[in-house]
Amino acid sequence: MTASAQTASAQTDFAHTKQLFHLPEGVIYLDGNSLGPLPLAAPIKMQTTMRDEWGEMLITGWNKAGWMAQPTRVGDRIARLIGAEDGHVVIGDTLSIKVYQALASALELNPDRKVILSDSGNFPTDLYMAEGLIKSLGQGHELRIVAPEEVEDAITEEVAVTLITEVDYRTGRLHDMKALTEKAHAVGALTIWDLAHSAGALPVDLAGVNADFAVGCTYKYLNGGPGAPAFIYVAPRHADKVEPALSGWLGHDAPFEFERSYRPGPGIERMRVGTPPVLALSALESALDIWDMTTMQAIREKSQALTALFIEEVETRCPMLTLASPRDAAKRGSQVSFRFPDGYAAMQALIARGVIGDFRAPDIMRFGFTPLYIDEGDVTRAAAILEEVMTTRAWDAPEYKARSRVT
Amino acid sequence: MTASAQTASAQTDFAHTKQLFHLPEGVIYLDGNSLGPLPLAAPIKMQTTMRDEWGEMLITGWNKAGWMAQPTRVGDRIARLIGAEDGHVVIGDTLSIKVYQALASALELNPDRKVILSDSGNFPTDLYMAEGLIKSLGQGHELRIVAPEEVEDAITEEVAVTLITEVDYRTGRLHDMKALTEKAHAVGALTIWDLAHSAGALPVDLAGVNADFAVGCTYKYLNGGPGAPAFIYVAPRHADKVEPALSGWLGHDAPFEFERSYRPGPGIERMRVGTPPVLALSALESALDIWDMTTMQAIREKSQALTALFIEEVETRCPMLTLASPRDAAKRGSQVSFRFPDGYAAMQALIARGVIGDFRAPDIMRFGFTPLYIDEGDVTRAAAILEEVMTTRAWDAPEYKARSRVT
């Protein structure tokens, strides 16, 4: 037994949560960091929502089934997973839209500064949404992008707000949220944390680190389903001050008075925009039940053991792959990435053999580790199959070379 | 048999489509203009999407199940219902977000003008989103709101864009889309048509009237389910020119290249923002199958007969109610509204007796007529129950007076 396997065996056993997911026969799913698998309860809950609520209650479901309160009710359940204060997270829209809302709010709170600081490890949509907002504002804001390791030094008194994804989507590199937030506040900057690869992956303590804004998606580690809605957090000290750029009717103080002018609702309510996506929220709400059975601390311990084991196994078996993730478990999220020039084709060959990870341009083979349903046996089996793909050059077949739009 | 009932009997019989919906026992549903009822096929399709696609395909569903192409594929189906050119409608987000996108684009195309013209019959979220955009732009744009009957005269050379909902959500008053679009173009203005109460309610001919932009929702007459996503249309002559304000990664020309800067995708693709809501789109796609069984012309004929019959019945039976909708069927959408000072309580009493309409402040009792599943028998029974509520003053009971958040 290797050292990391021994460590792993001392962790919490997640056999009880693994049983709560549908995992297809013959598949080892290491892509829950992109799309979580189906919780078995979700389609049952969806039937209830569709047949008993939508079908039977019709329009009265907005009150009777609690649909109207769903975005904040479900938001509170996510708040517990990311260390947010109760009543300060709301669900809706996509992560891109939530980035836009947070960024517009932060710039308004810090009107004398023009720099939005991000890093080259941020997910592109965050950068794209910032570009769009800067163009709309037309006030000469600058999106300044530095290397991940330069972020701390780049937080200067010029910076209005930092827009940082805590866990790098390609390498899994983990930023120090506490240190960067402190640095930002010390120089009068605000912070937006994108938790896309953090929520459900590792403990986050938004209130504890004094974060200003956070956003994230729910279809990765939170298993809400393809295209599940996003969330936004606004710190209590800002929540009643921000004037929403996307001032939709459900963020109005009295949406059903149908007033002619916008008046923001109380606190986080003003970050609501349009009609909530009830069906998607239903699947998500069901998926979140599973989190009541564990703690983020237990998840993190197991996740670190699983990623350490995978690195050890793959480095032993596949010397042609180069580790792209931090070797120190404390400095990476819940994924492991390797670089390989023919990474796209190798990942296709691997998927064809039942091990599902994904590829991120230009050369990253990415594997997500999700203790809720991935265990040590999966990790060693996946590494063995990867070894077979690499040593037999299985990836060197024409059918794996053609890039499709999504991997 | 009354005159209008005779007319109605000459219309298309929709018994075959009525069978495709779940309509609760003892309920006459006259609120499909707010939330359409459950198509029986929708929960079955949802099970397939959840179990066979999400469950079995996992991340590969984006390609294998065609999720990535869903927003434009479903968009094309809506395009046929609103007279749009193929390939120029895309689904996603909420109507509020789509209004923001259309308005930002229109203002960019008409940069020398500062007036956004709307009317007091527009749905408030359209006005609120315009307020938010104006504030963000900070260029001194003005949201000019006139009475519905003053719109045509108010379209002057000052106007950059008109933002008009074709069918007034309270009264059902129908704007002349062709005349107003012509007037707008004659003075160099652009047009955004909000089709919330038009799509699936009456024939719309966006290409024929030379509309510039249109937006709409899919949970009303299109029966997509609570919180179903919205759609946006951009005329082919503008589609490759607009620079999206909400520049999200799925509107990028090459989203999976993860480039650092935004480059808009071709045509309508650039109006995509974040990850598409697959589950909600699945329910919507299923609901749209029903539209292959009829035509918008047949729907319109039947709808006019049903609304005429309801007006005749209610005016005969309930003299205390005042018609708020145009009496001329050609000038109203697919709803009928009556004013009554205690309208909120009267609607609650009516709902308690199985006739579901809704209330819109300050005094509007609103009834939607949807030929797919409402017939003449429903209309006369609903009128008789309304008569009972009104003549017995059933609404004058304390339990009906307390306003809840949503009706």
Side-chain angles (χ1 to χ4, degrees), chain A residues 22 36 43 47 54 56 63 100 108 125 128 131 135 219 227 243 247 249 255-256 259 261-262 275-276 405-406, chain B residues 22 36 43 47 54 56 63 100 108 125 128 131 135 219 225 227 243 247 249 256 259 261-262 275-276 405-406:
Chain A
H22 175 75
Q47 288 297 296
W54 177 13
E56 284 295 320
N63 284 326
Y100 192 87
E108 191 182 33
T125 205
Y128 301 163
E131 287 180 344
K135 196 187 62 149
Y219 45 75
E243 289 285 328
S247 40
W249 73 305
F256 290 91
E259 295 171 10
S261 286
Y262 183 75
T275 304
R405 192 163 175 212
V406 195
Chain B
H22 175 75
Q47 289 297 297
W54 177 14
E56 285 295 320
N63 283 327
Y100 192 88
E108 190 182 33
T125 206
Y128 302 164
E131 288 180 345
K135 196 187 63 147
Y219 46 74
E243 290 285 330
S247 40
W249 73 304
F256 290 90
E259 296 171 9
S261 286
Y262 183 76
T275 305
R405 194 164 174 211
V406 197

Side-chain angles (χ1 to χ4, degrees), chain B residues 55-271:
Chain B
E56 285 295 320
M57 299 178 191
L58 296 158
I59 190 71
T60 69
W62 287 108
N63 283 327
K64 281 191 197 160
W67 297 342
M68 197 46 79
Q70 227 181 359
T72 45
R73 185 174 73 236
V74 180
D76 278 342
R77 300 191 63 180
I78 289 177
R80 280 167 234 153
L81 302 179
I82 57 176
E85 299 89 343
D86 224 41
H88 290 275
V89 172
V90 70
I91 320 270
D93 307 298
T94 62
L95 178 49
S96 301
I97 296 294
K98 288 331 203 191
V99 165
Y100 192 88
Q101 286 185 294
L103 198 50
S105 297
L107 294 180
E108 190 182 33
L109 291 173
N110 217 349
D112 298 331
R113 298 187 182 194
K114 298 296 177 201
V115 174
I116 300 163
L117 181 71
S118 192
D119 74 60
S120 55
N122 203 350
F123 190 72
T125 206
D126 293 28
L127 308 179
Y128 302 164
M129 293 305 288
E131 288 180 345
L133 178 63
I134 287 171
K135 196 187 63 147
S136 290
L137 293 175
Q139 295 172 23
H141 285 95
E142 173 198 347
L143 175 60
R144 187 174 293 172
I145 301 173
V146 301
E149 56 275 18
E150 293 166 359
V151 168
E152 186 160 1
D153 286 346
I155 303 175
T156 64
E157 293 189 354
E158 280 184 293
V159 174
V161 58
T162 60
L163 174 61
I164 306 283
T165 298
E166 188 189 18
V167 179
D168 187 307
Y169 75 105
R170 281 171 307 196
T171 65
R173 182 190 196 284
L174 181 62
H175 275 298
D176 186 336
M177 189 185 288
K178 186 167 194 290
L180 294 184
T181 303
E182 279 175 6
K183 176 73 189 288
H185 291 173
V187 299
L190 295 167
T191 55
I192 299 170
W193 287 102
D194 181 338
L195 304 178
H197 295 269
S198 305
L202 43 86
V204 176
D205 186 12
L206 289 176
V209 305
N210 212 17
D212 299 288
F213 297 88
V215 293
C217 63
T218 63
Y219 46 74
K220 297 177 184 292
Y221 293 93
L222 299 179
N223 312 304
F231 64 83
I232 185 168
Y233 163 80
V234 181
R237 65 188 174 281
H238 303 311
D240 284 318
K241 285 187 199 149
V242 295
E243 290 285 330
L246 301 176
S247 40
W249 73 304
L250 287 180
H252 192 284
D253 193 43
F256 290 90
E257 294 301 320
F258 302 104
E259 296 171 9
R260 198 181 288 194
S261 286
Y262 183 76
R263 285 189 294 120
I268 197 69
E269 292 278 349
R270 65 185 62 184
M271 290 292 141

Side-chain angles (χ1 to χ4, degrees), chain B residues 28-48:
Chain B
I28 300 172
Y29 193 55
L30 304 182
D31 209 7
N33 53 322
S34 188
L35 174 67
L38 176 71
L40 291 170
I44 298 164
K45 164 95 170 185
M46 182 65 89
Q47 289 297 297
T48 301

